[in-house]
Amino acid sequence: MADVTETENKGVAERLDAVMLNVARARIAVGVAAFAAPRLTVKAMGLGGHADAGRDYVTRMFAARELALGAGYLLSRGPARKTWARLGLVVDGLDTVNGLRSRPGLPLWVAAGATGIAAGATALGAAKVTRDLLP
C-alpha cells in the first residue's frame, strides 16, 4: 500500500513539474512579445492601442519580469528551482490581487481574463510550493 501511494505521489509531482515548466515557457513567450511589441500586447489585452510611451515603458518592465521569472525557473535545478517557484507564486498572487482591485476601472472581460490567468498561475504555483514542502 505504501508503495502505491509513493508511486502516485511521484506521478503527481512529475505532472506538476511538467506544468510548471510550461508556465515558465509561457512566461518567456509573453515576455518576448510584450518587450518586442508593447503596443500590440496591450491592445490584445484590451487596454488600448494608441501610442503611449509611459504605458510601453511599463509594459516592457512587465516583460522583463516575466522573462526573468521564466528563465530563472527553467535554468535552475533543485533548491534554486524551488526558490523561483516561490517567487513566481508571490508575483502571481500579487497580480491576482491587483486584478481584483482594478476591476472597477476595467472592462469586465479584461479584468476577468487577466485575473483568471493570474489566479490560475497562483493556484499552480501554490500547488508546486506545497508539494515542494511536503516530505
Side-chain angles (χ1 to χ4, degrees):
M1 183 68 152
D3 291 334
V4 172
T5 302
E6 186 175 320
T7 302
E8 288 174 358
N9 285 340
K10 186 175 181 182
V12 169
E14 288 173 357
R15 286 192 301 274
L16 186 55
D17 288 341
V19 170
M20 291 299 291
L21 288 170
N22 286 332
V23 168
R25 291 179 187 112
R27 284 186 191 279
I28 291 173
V30 168
V32 167
F35 197 86
R39 186 185 312 179
L40 181 61
T41 302
V42 170
K43 185 176 182 179
M45 295 172 67
L47 299 173
H50 59 284
D52 184 334
R55 184 203 56 222
D56 290 352
Y57 174 73
V58 172
T59 301
R60 284 190 173 110
M61 288 172 54
F62 158 79
R65 175 193 83 171
E66 291 302 298
L67 288 166
L69 287 170
Y73 191 84
L74 289 175
L75 296 173
S76 61
R77 299 286 180 268
R81 182 168 278 178
K82 292 177 183 182
T83 299
W84 282 103
R86 291 174 185 178
L87 291 170
L89 172 59
V90 170
V91 168
D92 294 330
L94 290 171
D95 284 349
T96 302
V97 171
N98 184 42
L100 294 170
R101 291 184 52 127
S102 298
R103 167 54 198 115
L106 296 173
L108 178 60
W109 73 271
V110 171
T115 304
I117 291 168
T122 301
L124 289 170
K128 173 65 173 156
V129 168
T130 300
R131 183 69 185 102
D132 288 346
L133 293 173
L134 295 175

